[in-house]
Amino acid sequence: MSIARATYHHGDLRRALLEAGLELAREGGPDAVVLREATRRVGVSANAAYRHFADRDDLLDDVVSLAQGRAADVIEQAMAEVEDGGDPRAQARARFRAVGVGYLRFALTEPGLFRTAFAVPTDLSRAASADAAGAGGRTPFQLLSDQLDEMLETGALPPGQREGAELLAWSAVHGLAMLAIEGPLRDLPRSAIEALVPRLVRMVDLGLGLVNPADS
């Protein structure tokens, strides 16, 4: 019995196809996620795959969620690098900036997965979906929202600036990410882009409005 057939009989074919789809996305972005190629890599027939995915778009939809979960893991790793202690407002600001750092780190290290996670036409329906969450149980959008809430609670963010802040912050860091991986900045050395990252997230942070200028 082949490995692929054994995998299917043990109910893991869906997982194997998703892993194959994730690798395709890593290699070539969302356009590379093709059901027939995923079945070829797993070693099963297309008919077997159709028992788990109606079509290529069905597979891609799940791969998008998985890619967002991978992004959440990188974001949480960046947040974990923030040292504890000090003023709660400064800590909240540092963790908020770390969300942007993690997002851009994911874009630069995993451009194929990044484009799959955030460049496929969709809406915000998966922003709070468990399917798009990382190992910590939060999606990238939830991690961003959590840190904005923490800034508000600690007094680092003026109440009048909270509404819609997720969309403003996301737009700024996503813009740099796309310029760097497939726009006019793609030919710049990675070190040059990485040097811009802390400046960008600081700009976004300060753009939301300071309660105390000393916190900057």
Side-chain angles (χ1 to χ4, degrees):
M1 179 179 292
S2 69
I3 293 176
R5 182 62 63 185
T7 298
Y8 171 69
H9 281 310
H10 284 88
D12 291 335
L13 179 56
R14 179 181 177 82
R15 178 195 59 78
L17 289 169
L18 284 172
E19 287 298 324
L22 202 62
E23 283 305 308
L24 290 168
R26 174 176 282 114
E27 295 167 9
D31 292 341
V33 181
V34 179
L35 189 57
R36 185 172 296 277
E37 176 60 17
T39 60
R40 187 192 69 77
R41 294 193 177 196
V42 174
V44 297
S45 69
N47 287 338
Y50 287 132
R51 298 174 186 174
H52 298 276
F53 299 98
D55 51 29
R56 179 257 181 184
D57 289 341
D58 194 19
L59 172 63
L60 178 61
D61 189 63
D62 283 355
V63 171
V64 168
S65 292
L66 286 175
Q68 288 197 13
R70 299 295 175 92
D73 291 339
V74 176
I75 291 170
E76 289 203 272
Q77 181 182 23
M79 293 170 61
E81 294 169 5
V82 176
E83 295 182 2
D84 292 331
D87 178 50
R89 290 177 302 180
Q91 287 294 110
R93 303 185 80 92
R95 282 191 286 268
F96 168 71
R97 295 180 186 185
V99 173
V101 169
Y103 188 89
L104 287 160
R105 182 182 297 171
F106 181 69
L108 295 175
T109 57
E110 294 280 13
L113 289 184
F114 177 83
R115 289 192 293 112
T116 302
F118 301 110
V120 173
T122 184
D123 53 26
L124 287 175
S125 60
R126 62 166 51 84
S129 170
D131 293 335
R138 308 296 282 170
T139 69
F141 193 79
Q142 287 175 321
L143 291 170
L144 174 58
S145 295
D146 290 347
Q147 292 315 124
L148 286 165
D149 287 341
E150 183 180 342
M151 287 176 66
L152 183 65
E153 291 164 5
T154 60
L157 179 68
Q161 296 283 11
R162 177 63 186 89
E163 184 178 358
E166 291 96 338
L167 303 183
L168 295 173
W170 189 8
S171 297
V173 294
H174 185 79
L176 177 59
M178 295 304 292
L179 288 170
I181 65 176
E182 60 178 34
L185 302 186
R186 64 186 181 278
D187 293 329
L188 290 180
R190 177 167 169 174
S191 59
I193 300 299
E194 290 176 340
L196 294 175
V197 171
R199 294 177 60 189
L200 175 69
V201 296
R202 181 177 183 273
M203 182 186 73
V204 173
D205 180 7
L206 298 182
L208 292 176
L210 282 172
V211 172
N212 183 352
D215 293 339
S216 63

